[in-house]
Every structure is written in C-alpha cells, then in structure tokens.
Amino acid sequence: MTVPQEDLLLVLRDLVAKRNGGPVVDDAPLETLGLDSLSVIELLMAVEDHFGVRIPVEGIGAGDLRDLRSLAAYAQHQMH
Amino acid sequence: MPRWSLSAPEMDRPLSGPDHFHWLVHRAMRAHGQAGNISRMRFDLGAADAADVAATLRTNPVVQAVGRVRWCFRWPLLPRWRLTEDAPDVVHVHRADDGEAWLSQRLREPLGREGLLRFDVRDGAGATQVLASFHHALFDHQGMLNLLHAVEAGAWHGPAMPSLDRAPGPGAWREAVACAAAAFRTAGPRLGSLWVRGAAGEEPHYQVLRFTVEETARINARARAMGASLSRNAWYMAGVAHGVQAVLERRGRPAPYLWFSAPVDQRPPTGPGHLLTNLNSFLFFRLEREHLHDPGVALRALNVQLVEQVRSRFPQRYRSLLRAFRHPPAWLASAMFALPSLGRWSSFGHSDLGDLDRMPVTFAGRPVAQVLHLPPVPGPPGLCVVTGRERGALLMVIGRQGLALNEQEAGAFASSLRDLLLGT
C-alpha cells in the first residue's frame, strides 16, 4: 500500500494536535511536542489503525525521530 | 483565577492505583525495617541563615496545606487520603557540623506519623542544607518538582489532584487479570537478586555518576549505534543488568534471569499538571542469562519487549491492575503484590527523572548551589539506578543497601557502568 507522505503527515499532525490540545509545527523537535519513545510507538500504532497497515518500529533510527516530517517519511518507507 | 485548593472533601478519596502501588512498596520496605518509600532531595544553600530558611518554610501556605495530608484506613482496611484538622510542623532544624553523619541519620528516619512531607534544615555554621523528604505514595517525580515550584511561588495555580480514578468496570477487571497472569508468567522466585538475607534495616548509600555534556553526547551516540534509538533508557537498563549479572557471577551464582520494571509517566503531555498523587504505570522486562553476557544483546531483547508491551497497551492495562489492587483489603493486596516474585520484588529498580532543568534554582528564596537526588532504595532488591539530565549532561544516581552491594562491589559496578556507557 502506498500512502503519500503528506497524508501521513496530516494524520500525525492531527493526532498530536488532539493529544496536546493545540496546533503543531511539523518541523518542531519531537521532544518539544511532548513526545517520548512510548508516545512515538503509540502514534505509529494510531497511524497503523488509520490506514490498516503494519509499521515495524524496531528498526527506527535517530534520524527518523527528529520531527513529524521525518517520522512520516519513516512510516511511508516502512509501508512499502 | 487560582485553581488550587486542598479541602477535606476533596482529599476524602481512595488512593489512586499508582499511589496504592507506591503505598504497597512502602509497606514492604517498612516490613524490612527501612525508612520507607521516600524520595529525598538535599539542597545546598551555602551560608543562608538556617533559622530564616526554616521560618520561611513554616509560614509557606503550600507547605502548611500539604503537610496536613495523611492516609487513613476505612473498613475493610482500604487506605484513603484525608487531611488533619491542624497544620503540623513539618520543618525541623538541626545543629550539625558533620553533614554526612547528619544525612545518614536522616535517611534512617521514616516520615511515620509526621505525614508525607518533611523538611530538615541543617545549621552547619555557614553550610546550610535542606533535606526535603517526599513520600512516594503522594508524589511522583513531576509532582515533587511541581511542589517545589509551588513552595517557591507560595501558591499553586493548577488542580491539587487529578480527577478521581474510576472503579474498574468488567473490562478493566479482565485486563487486570490478564496483567496479573503476565506478571506470574514472567516473574518468579528464581529472578536474580543482589539481596542478602539480613540486610534489613540499613540506611541506603548513594553514589552519583556525573558526565559532562561532551561525554553525554558520546554516550548518546554510542547508545544509538548499539540500537537504542527508541529509548536511551533501554541502553542504560542493559548496562545496569549487565553489571548486576557481573556481580552475581563474581559471587559464584549467576542469575538464570533478571526481572525489573521501569515507570512510565502517564501525566498529560502539556499544561501544568496536578500537584499531588502519582500518575504513572510500569513496563516490565525480563532478561535471560544468554542476554546478560553482552549489553548489545540485552538491548535488543529490551527493545523487542518495549515495543510488544506498548503495542499491547500494557501500561494502561497495568493501571487497571493497580486500580483493582485497591479494592481488596490491604493484607490481601499486599499478598497479591508480593506473589509473582514471592517477595523478591525485582532484580533492581530503575527510573528516569527526565530533564532536571525544571528544578528550581532557588529554595526558600535562597540560591541553590547544588541538589543531591536521593531516590528510595527498596530492599529487596537493594539497588536502584536513577538517571536524569542537568543542562544536557547525564547524571546517574546509584542507590544501594550495603549488604546488597558492598562498597568494593559498588565501586566496581559504578566504574564498569561508566566505562560501558562511554565505550572506554
């Protein structure tokens, strides 16, 4: 299944905005959005539920955890 | 409009699930003759006047209000929070020139009937220190920081407590049973432990490993290279587990497996949060003997277990178990709590205090020269390792009971942990 990265970003942005109760900047460091490792896994699980796919998280690297944009890129790569 | 209030009707409620967990840990520690599940912080205030510091704290409205919180038992022995009618004096001044002897004495003292918060001020002739003692059943680490800020501000603008934990419904009870089954499956009396029979009643000893910002960057890079991109804490836990097994091997009895937990903060990610009571849950990890020879192998096993547990919503399910715990009478809850490990509790304690830059830079209005963090050291297991970051620099506090890890073993443990993290 191929999902455009912008669609993934939109879903991630919505999820974080709901969680934090406010607007979210795509390139803000994840730490400043209050996202720790557990919440990143939970976010990816929510993306899985949304698109009905499985995203392996064991191989995630530090570069994938910079901001929502890099996380969306990781999710898209793993969905291929 | 301030939202702070601490009234008797508001406090008249059962302990939350996580509070109850820490209360059960407290009971187990007291049964082993220890001071209890108490976190302490020592603030070095330089040449501040000890009597003035004590007077400032005594007249602080937040100290007075929180100092009234107690627990009580109602039928059938269920613990509940309550407030005393009068504000007791929770500030004590001691004239003591020997700071180490003074601290050692304080660490042996339970909070007991005095409540859940206490401040001991050492008048050391030009070296004033305050030891703040927080009962873990009432405060998680974020709560302790919130309280310190509230004391400095003389007021608190968030809610006093989170909304009341609802009684578990049928679904939550199912989750609690599943969670208990998982605990029985993974724990057990054969878990590796440093605990030595007869170690009860000792005061804990602490060693602080401080790393520079450059060393911390090296440690982080090494952790990532080893595969700790999801959680740096998994790498620290792998290092601690490796060190514990090394001690057990030197004692000639390597563990078949180690079992330990890590707390998970469940406070909302934004906003000031609440002032009192815990809001956390736990993840549980088990490392087999074949994982323990190589920290990299241990890290990979921890990563798999971390992802599995988050995917299966284990922290949320464990909170259901904790909520369920507070419904049977206290003696039964204690027995249920001890059963999976048959009273050996765990192989070691680990927690991450997170970013310590939120720590106030003044205390009782005086500049703080240094803070020493003194987490509770439950015995068993008699060892806990707490991490935090001060201005980007990693800090590790190793707390131990002397017979669980003697001075020589503790020195070797700390040195090998430091070398492992730095890759030297």
Side-chain angles (χ1 to χ4, degrees):
Chain A
M1 179 178 180
T2 305
V3 177
Q5 196 174 313
E6 280 306 310
D7 289 4
L8 283 163
L9 189 57
L10 192 66
V11 171
L12 285 169
R13 196 188 297 140
D14 279 356
L15 288 167
V16 178
K18 272 187 201 141
R19 191 174 176 274
N20 290 0
V24 173
V25 181
D26 295 346
D27 51 8
L30 293 187
E31 278 181 12
T32 65
L33 299 175
L35 297 175
D36 58 14
S37 51
L38 267 56
S39 40
V40 166
I41 301 172
E42 286 167 350
L43 263 187
L44 291 175
M45 283 164 54
V47 171
E48 288 179 346
D49 291 345
H50 186 91
F51 292 105
V53 293
R54 176 96 173 165
I55 304 171
V57 294
E58 288 81 354
I60 204 162
D64 306 315
L65 294 168
R66 274 197 313 273
D67 49 34
L68 287 184
R69 207 173 280 285
S70 59
L71 196 58
Y74 172 80
Q76 190 197 34
H77 183 71
Q78 295 297 317
M79 287 161 83
H80 277 210
Chain B
M1 185 72 184
R3 296 167 65 198
W4 155 260
S5 77
L6 200 57
S7 65
E10 183 185 33
M11 286 302 297
D12 186 10
R13 55 159 80 186
L15 274 63
S16 73
D19 292 347
H20 200 256
F21 173 87
H22 282 290
W23 181 77
L24 290 167
V25 173
H26 172 75
R27 281 169 64 96
M29 290 179 74
R30 294 292 293 139
H32 281 93
Q34 296 157 73
N37 193 2
I38 305 163
S39 258
R40 307 188 204 243
M41 293 181 202
R42 192 190 69 191
F43 297 92
D44 297 350
L45 302 182
D49 186 282
D52 282 353
V53 169
T56 305
L57 288 171
R58 274 195 191 109
T59 52
N60 187 290
V62 178
V63 171
Q64 287 179 349
V66 177
R68 294 171 59 207
V69 181
R70 298 284 185 281
W71 66 60
C72 63
F73 292 98
R74 299 253 174 89
W75 187 91
L77 291 179
L78 300 178
R80 295 179 72 85
W81 293 125
R82 70 174 179 91
L83 285 182
T84 58
E85 296 209 349
D86 303 316
D89 185 7
V90 296
V91 183
H92 304 265
V93 183
H94 313 261
R95 179 74 188 87
D97 288 330
D98 185 342
E100 290 308 310
W102 175 79
L103 180 62
S104 177
Q105 176 63 30
R106 300 279 82 74
L107 292 173
R108 285 194 206 106
E109 287 181 357
L111 292 177
R113 291 183 180 277
E114 292 210 39
L116 301 150
L117 176 69
R118 177 183 162 118
F119 297 100
D120 289 287
V121 183
R122 180 173 84 90
D123 177 0
T128 297
Q129 295 175 318
V130 178
L131 187 69
S133 301
F134 307 87
H135 204 294
H136 228 324
L138 189 63
F139 300 97
D140 53 25
H141 181 70
Q142 294 305 321
M144 291 174 211
L145 291 184
N146 287 350
L147 182 95
L148 292 172
H149 280 284
V151 167
E152 276 310 279
W156 173 249
H157 296 289
M161 304 179 90
S163 55
L164 186 62
D165 254 353
R166 286 191 309 274
W173 276 107
R174 271 198 302 278
E175 289 199 333
V177 170
C179 209
F184 277 104
R185 201 173 58 245
T186 56
R190 295 183 67 222
L191 65 89
S193 175
L194 298 168
W195 189 244
V196 175
R197 200 179 285 268
E202 290 179 77
E203 86 271 18
H205 304 270
Y206 296 93
Q207 184 171 357
V208 181
L209 290 183
R210 288 183 187 275
F211 298 91
T212 64
V213 172
E214 291 74 25
E215 286 173 331
T216 303
R218 259 172 69 194
I219 290 168
N220 289 345
R222 180 164 154 76
R224 280 196 297 270
M226 296 299 288
S229 51
L230 264 178
S231 165
R232 277 174 298 192
N233 276 312
W235 176 237
Y236 305 149
M237 287 190 284
V240 173
H242 182 72
V244 168
Q245 182 72 329
V247 174
L248 291 171
E249 278 174 355
R250 278 196 291 276
R251 290 181 186 173
R253 46 181 179 85
Y257 62 91
L258 299 182
W259 190 69
F260 50 93
S261 63
V264 179
D265 188 0
Q266 301 218 313
R267 284 173 177 255
T270 54
H274 56 269
L275 186 63
L276 300 176
T277 94
N278 291 266
L279 202 57
N280 57 354
S281 185
F282 293 86
L283 293 167
F284 289 86
F285 299 99
R286 175 174 165 137
L287 291 175
E288 305 293 338
R289 187 178 288 183
E290 58 268 26
H291 298 137
L292 294 166
H293 292 299
D294 179 345
V297 175
L299 173 64
R300 284 193 285 283
L302 292 175
N303 277 345
V304 169
Q305 292 174 39
L306 169 72
V307 172
E308 273 175 7
Q309 288 181 72
V310 178
R311 276 194 185 282
S312 65
R313 298 178 63 254
F314 186 88
Q316 290 87 339
R317 290 165 59 206
Y318 194 73
R319 279 193 69 194
S320 295
L321 179 67
L322 295 176
R323 280 203 295 275
F325 256 151
R326 70 165 194 242
H327 290 271
W331 62 269
L332 182 57
S334 291
M336 285 163 61
F337 180 73
L339 209 52
S341 59
L342 289 184
R344 297 191 79 181
W345 309 110
S346 71
S347 299
F348 58 85
H350 177 271
S351 71
D352 181 10
L353 303 182
D355 189 350
L356 297 172
D357 293 348
R358 254 196 85 206
M359 188 66 67
V361 293
T362 60
F363 186 71
R366 278 74 173 176
V368 176
Q370 193 170 38
V371 184
L372 178 63
H373 298 269
L374 303 157
V377 186
L383 171 71
C384 80
V385 180
V386 166
T387 62
R389 279 154 292 281
E390 271 181 347
R391 291 178 291 280
L394 177 66
L395 173 81
M396 278 188 160
V397 181
I398 302 170
R400 65 181 171 90
Q401 301 280 333
L403 283 178
L405 201 65
N406 66 37
E407 203 157 327
Q408 194 182 1
E409 288 173 327
F413 175 84
S415 153
S416 66
L417 182 58
R418 187 182 179 88
D419 290 347
L420 173 71
L421 294 175
L422 287 167
T424 53

